[in-house]
């Protein structure tokens, strides 16, 4: 798995106490300070969590839709299986080493969705649930505070086991006049993040997510689904061989018209080469 939200899994079973792993502590009294040693949260899902996740999958099989299905509403659960790129990000005004959100971006053309046009998918989550080392995609961009705060609000609701959508996603809140409208913020972030991820962080992935916004296609825009994932996993073997990484890099260069021997993501110099390492948080 690349991403797994234990909080969202716990929120899915509000009547069930969250699973806990055995804990232990070692205290040494040095007459100067007390040293306490304890295990951190495991990076990979436990057997108990995987069993609960399978129960969620079996339950959702009766109601889940493909993410490109028509007439989706906020709160619906969707299944996705497509090629996506991903990277961590931070608020526009934050320091460059404070990546706290994770974005997955991908598209399916109309000939694969059965519809007349391409459908875009953007998954938004917290880096707290990231399971592997991930390169940055840079800052979210100017005027994106609404989206940054929404991602954290969704995570906080999961932590409180609240399954209702936040107030920010109601029709009344979305229709409030403002200089940066939510639908435009989401489209701008998708457009930028879709091309700013590292070339090696692109693969076919699959998982389950809950819809936040369903933005219809327009004359110049594709339909865009924004959702919060429960989990994201590789749908095929992770591309580790150098020949595969070279192919992905060449593909990215072709997509954006860059010379393959010079191409690098359009990130500020201070962001290039930065990665988010979840192992640090588990210690």
């Amino acid at each position: 798995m690349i991403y797994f939200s234990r909080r969202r899994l716990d929120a899915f079973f509000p009547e069930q106490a969250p699973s806990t792993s055995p804990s232990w502590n070692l205290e040494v009294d040095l007459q100067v300070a007390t040293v306490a040693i304890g295990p951190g949260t495991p990076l990979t899902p436990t057997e108990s969590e995987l069993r609960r996740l399978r129960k969620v999958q079996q339950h959702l099989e009766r109601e889940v839709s493909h993410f490109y299905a028509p007439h989706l509403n906020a709160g619906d659960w969707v299944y996705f299986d497509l090629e996506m790129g991903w990277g961590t990000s931070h608020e526009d005004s934050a320091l460059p080493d404070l990546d706290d959100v994770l974005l997955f971006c991908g598209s399916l053309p109309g000939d694969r969705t059965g519809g007349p046009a391409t459908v875009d998918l953007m998954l938004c989550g917290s880096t707290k649930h990231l399971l592997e080392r991930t390169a940055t995609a840079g800052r979210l961009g100017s005027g994106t505070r609404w989206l940054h705060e929404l991602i954290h609000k969704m995570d906080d609701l999961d932590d409180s086991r609240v399954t209702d959508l936040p107030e920010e996603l109601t029709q009344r809140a979305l229709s409030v006049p403002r200089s940066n409208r939510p639908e435009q913020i989401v489209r701008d972030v998708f457009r930028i993040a879709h091309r700013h991820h590292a070339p090696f962080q692109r693969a076919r992935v699959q998982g389950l997510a809950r819809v936040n916004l369903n933005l219809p296609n327009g004359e110049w825009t594709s339909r865009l689904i924004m959702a919060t994932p429960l989990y994201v996993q590789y749908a095929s073997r992770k591309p580790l061989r150098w020949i595969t990484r070279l192919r992905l890099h060449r593909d990215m260069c072709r997509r954006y018209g860059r010379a393959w021997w010079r191409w690098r993501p359009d990130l500020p110099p201070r962001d290039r080469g930065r990665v988010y390492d979840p192992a640090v948080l588990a210690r």
Side-chain angles (χ1 to χ4, degrees), residues 90-110:
H90 58 270
E91 191 177 5
D92 187 54
S93 59
L95 296 175
D97 59 341
L98 297 179
D99 280 12
D100 54 359
V101 298
L102 179 65
L103 302 174
F104 291 83
C105 296
S107 301
L108 274 187

Side-chain angles (χ1 to χ4, degrees), residues 7 72 108 114 141 263 282:
R7 292 182 175 183
L72 289 177
L108 274 187
W263 186 86

Side-chain angles (χ1 to χ4, degrees), residues 12 66 101 103 197 243 267 279:
F12 200 90
H66 284 290
V101 298
L103 302 174
H197 63 82
I243 189 67
L267 300 176

